[in-house]
Amino acid sequence: MGDMANSSIEFHPKPQQQREAPHAGGFGCTLAELRSLMELRGAEALQKVQEAYGDVSGLCRRLKTSPTEGLANNANDLEKRRQIYGQNFIPPKQPKTFLQLVWEALQDVTLIILEVAAIVSLGLSFYAPPGEESEACGNVSAGAEDEGDAEAGWIEGAAILLSVTCVVLVTAFNDWSKERQFRGLQSRIEQEQRFSVIRDGQLLQVPVAALVVGDIAQVKYGDLLPADGVLIQGNDLKIDESSLTGESDHVRKSADKDPMLLSGTHVMEGSGRMVVTAVGVNSQTGIIFTLLGAGGEEEEKKDKKAKKQDGAVAMEMQPLKSAEGGEMEEREKKKASVPKKEKSVLQGKLTKLAVQIGKAGLVMSAITVIILVLYFVIETFVVDGRVWLAECTPVYVQYFVKFFIIGVTVLVVAVPEGLPLAVTISLAYSVKKMMRDNNLVRHLDACETMGNATAICSDKTGTLTTNRMTVVQSYLGDTHYKEIPAPSTLTPKILDLLVHAISINSAYTTKILPPEKEGALPRQVGNKTECALLGFVLDLKRDFQPVREQIPEDKLYKVYTFNSVRKSMSTVIRMPDGGFRLFSKGASEILLKKCTNILNSNGELRGFRPRDRDDMVKKIIEPMACDGLRTICIAYRDFSATQEPDWDNENEVVGDLTCIAVVGIEDPVRPEVPEAIRKCQRAGITVRMVTGDNINTARAIAAKCGIIQPGEDFLCLEGKEFNRRIRNEKGEIEQERLDKVWPKLRVLARSSPTDKHTLVKGIIDSSTGEQRQVVAVTGDGTNDGPALKKADVGFAMGIAGTDVAKEASDIILTDDNFTSIVKAVMWGRNVYDSISKFLQFQLTVNVVAVIVAFTGACITQDSPLKAVQMLWVNLIMDTFASLALATEPPTEALLLRKPYGRDKPLISRTMMKNILGHAAYQLTIIFTLLFVGELFFDIDSGRNAPLHSPPSEHYTIIFNTFVMMQLFNEINARKIHGERNVFHGIFSNPIFCSIVLGTFAIQIVIVQFGGKPFSCSPLSTEQWLWCLFVGVGELVWGQVIATIPTSQLKCLKEAGHGPGKDEMTDEELAEGEEEIDHAERELRRGQILWFRGLNRIQTQVSRSVPAFRKSLEKPESKTSIHNFMATPEFLINDYTHNIPLIDDTDVDENEERLRAPPPPSPNQNNNAIDSGIYLTTHGTKSATSSVFSSRPGSPLHSVETSL
């Protein structure tokens, strides 16, 4: 093997450098070589590295980089690497062009009908009937001929076309700006993503897109790998590769067994350093993307070259894909081609409402056309007894076209096209403004869902607290110090051990740096708890840096990194005498159980029995915890040179410890949090705290925040106790038991990620209470992924959060602050209210316009409001009003009411009262004007005017009055809860003011100079003043309506309910889930590859959610994989680390076929249970799904436990 490796090193480079000289640019590896290297796994890959490069450092030499110092931070070199090996960027799909969006807007059915009508009308207006026998056709065109205005007939058709063009352009522009905003948002998210690399020996955070081949990257727990690489050195590194392979087991990576790290995979445990070998379209995820066509444009440029490579790639990808990989890609392809749809609670209600209104409008317009046609036919051919003459046909057809246009106009006015526009504008506006309030919204609908939130499950550290930790109390050498002890009071041996234990047994990336400004606090970099301990070392007048220089990271013998199961971290170093020393730190109650000795005041060992431990817990740990301190125990253990243990047997190694110290770490509550929590409680939102901390600490902090108040009836539970209460004898979770616990639960301490997920799922699935709960969750760790995904709205921490958490979330809090969540609630409620305001305005206009057009047409054969006028009303109503009302800024008053909930209708009784009340006022005015207006103003009547007659003042006054009433009603619509002062805060919204004034100005122009196209004739000042007077009457009438108590009007129906449970079949639910999935996929197509790391998970969730929903309907089928776990304690302690983020087996295909119950576990000891679980993991796909579908309709009880 050695010879081979040498020979390959001697012979390989020469021919390659000649052949690929221009390509390799002086580096010892070509792009193709690295690409083929990254396709190998495990032992194969290791063998290839050894054959081709000797070892990983040989590969680093070929790439001209140093494993310890990294690349030189030299712009030319980095640029050259980008030229040769590509950039770490996958070109997004081209956005739709403006013209494509215009074409899409033209597909609207009502618009197509209008276009057809307009073109027919245009065509007929140019056709002059031959001869002068118009007498024979009756009084049909007499009026027009007399006026000599026949040639003006085309204007109406042209005007309709023009207004259609306006509508289309406005819609397209809105879509275009939405898409652009979204891409802006996307690139902002991408720019925020940084990764740690070593350049010139310095650890830097560089944007992910700036990574190049040859970079030395630091990988740590919670990272989403942004590029492919080969591991140089790793500590206990475990990777979740399910996003690439579909296998949910965590893969152990080490430099001597399996050093290949792939982009888009998640680091679930441990840390390490890797050399980057492939970026962008050449990385494994990039290759898959290229096959999916996302990187298509990029590939075409390299077509000639890539053709050969691509074939090879596709072939070599087979082993990677595993059984479902192929299906996954097929599915991806299908998904990519599906047009985007997205339905949230609000959109569900809106769609339903729009359909109901549309149907009503269609019926009305059909009736209008039928009545007009019948009236005309009877009048002309029966009453006047005329005969249909051939030369009169065009004249009659022209009439019919006119009727058709009136009918279409009724329909156009009835359908509120402005609704989607209002929703879009409102959401886009809110998202933009929420950015300023430190909320980065990743999924648009999360914004309005947040307004309905009824419960928030918050982390403690960093969200409710400042996440700036300091050691304030300690127990060292039998003494409890209430402040930092003076170094002179401590025995040198204890001090020395303590300094070493803290400096070595913490991530070397964690440091305390001098403050940036004079007088500021020192900067804490890395894990905050470790920073507190390092700060303690500095407070003891010692320094951690020299210790670390003496024992650098690569000299550490073994590292057991921190994870949510161990709740501790241990590091082993080799001693000069050949023995080993293990340092351990962790949660005090967990680590003290493993201690058998303790250092006394002279630094000598003293036995530490369970009785001593109970004493210590009572006298030291509980008092610290009750002060709201987090207690950490620091311990060590020596092994002699002769008795080297089995390092993989962790329980054996980390046991029999000697306690050095217990320290109490304070993390002060953020000053603004108690007020924010008070606001939430006033707004009807329950705040719960879910933390990994000790119960006393958690309770103390919860009391400081105001989550629990003295005299209230509440529960504070630890994870174990919580599990005991919610599980039955078999260890399965029962919803009934959960329903007894969660309503009173305020603090869940010492909880595992599983508990958090169980709680969130339990609250969401619960059917107690009058409405379904809407739950928001905050999280920052990788392990919070499932809970964030399950929640209605997931908030990830922008500063402390890991990539995995951000990927699973809906909103990223850029300042990690709880008060930003309260802002999100305010914005969410504001979106909801904005849309209700718009609806109240829009529906009043619709009701009035439809009734006027309908009755007017039936009584006078001609709608008082012409097609073009209707379109103008529609345009101002829809576009401008949606802009004006959707951009109302939120007020604190929004937080004074309870959340609406899922089933609350969009149009409340009060709104219905306003709509009908204002409609009544407007109809009275318009019909009065229509039938006696000419007498009042002393003008000619406009009724029964012949075809093509010039516009009359009479109808112009009706049109003008109608628009004035709408304008003033727009001000009324600003308030929907029956408030009296409609002008409150009007000047804080300049958009609203400018739109109302702008509309008014345009209306003056239309009436005075609109002429024939708008069917308007100029009005005198007196007439204008009357129109305005009637308009202002709207405001007075609004006050009258507000006086009528809504409670008396039992007859009013509400409208726009959310779809009820019973109405939706399972298929529809499943479809809805899929839709959201496509939408996410479409919306996020601009993202680069590692941002797609969880797309498998989304597919999974979209499958499992219908199953969850089924569990609501069939409460009796409660079997689940939890059958495997007999005792709840066991689940939490020993099992959790096998839990994948979310299962990756394909359930749906096999669910139908396999309904076998899971094999019962014969004996209930841990090994059997473990092996049972492993059996299913490594077993075939069908085995896995048989565990899922243990009984028809069985719910997947908790996403993570489904292995």
Side-chain angles (χ1 to χ4, degrees), residues 128-148:
E132 282 307 313
E133 306 136 274
S134 47
E135 275 312 302
C137 308
N139 64 351
V140 178
S141 49
E145 296 306 324
D146 297 349
E147 296 296 331

Side-chain angles (χ1 to χ4, degrees), residues 678-808:
R678 241 193 328 278
K679 281 182 187 165
C680 282
Q681 287 160 341
R682 257 207 316 270
I685 300 169
T686 313
V687 182
R688 295 182 174 81
M689 180 162 111
V690 183
T691 172
D693 233 331
N694 163 324
I695 186 137
N696 296 327
T697 312
R699 194 185 278 121
I701 300 253
K704 281 183 194 167
C705 294
I707 291 178
I708 54 181
Q709 263 120 14
E712 267 189 358
D713 181 17
F714 58 79
L715 280 176
C716 293
L717 297 179
E718 284 201 331
K720 273 188 181 169
E721 172 62 15
F722 172 68
N723 274 288
R724 203 182 56 67
R725 292 192 182 199
I726 62 167
R727 290 172 191 271
N728 58 18
E729 300 70 47
K730 294 185 193 152
E732 298 165 356
I733 298 172
E734 283 189 356
Q735 187 67 41
E736 298 84 77
R737 291 177 184 234
L738 240 170
D739 287 346
K740 291 196 186 86
V741 176
W742 72 257
K744 288 183 183 174
L745 184 69
R746 290 295 174 274
V747 176
L748 183 57
R750 283 273 171 255
S751 66
S752 70
T754 325
D755 299 338
K756 191 170 185 176
H757 180 267
T758 308
L759 175 66
V760 172
K761 180 180 180 309
I763 297 179
I764 290 178
D765 290 352
S766 170
S767 44
T768 56
E770 56 275 11
Q771 58 187 43
R772 171 158 126 47
Q773 297 277 319
V774 177
V775 184
V777 171
T778 70
D780 52 5
T782 304
N783 46 21
D784 293 326
L788 288 171
K789 205 81 190 143
K790 177 69 190 151
D792 295 288
V793 181
F795 286 91
M797 302 297 142
I799 304 169
T802 57
D803 299 345
V804 180
K806 289 180 187 171
E807 177 65 41

Side-chain angles (χ1 to χ4, degrees), residues 320-332:
L320 174 134
K321 280 202 292 200
S322 79
E324 338 87 85
E327 293 154 29
M328 157 192 156
E329 276 167 19
E330 301 283 286
R331 218 175 304 118
E332 287 285 334

Side-chain angles (χ1 to χ4, degrees), residues 56 326 362 447 803 819 831:
V56 180
L362 203 64
C447 184
D803 299 345
T819 46
V831 168

Side-chain angles (χ1 to χ4, degrees), residues 730 1120-1127 1130 1158-1161 1164 1168-1169 1172-1173 1176 1187:
K730 294 185 193 152
S1120 79
I1121 188 148
H1122 289 304
N1123 298 359
F1124 280 113
M1125 296 138 223
T1127 51
F1130 158 68
S1161 179
Q1164 290 294 357
I1169 293 166
I1173 282 161
T1176 44
V1187 176

Side-chain angles (χ1 to χ4, degrees), residues 120 150 166 495 561 577 745 771 842 854 875 936-937 958 1047:
V120 172
C166 284
L495 189 55
T561 49
D577 62 1
L745 184 69
Q771 58 187 43
Q842 166 94 59
F854 177 69
L875 251 184
F936 180 80
F937 284 108
I958 294 178
S1047 49

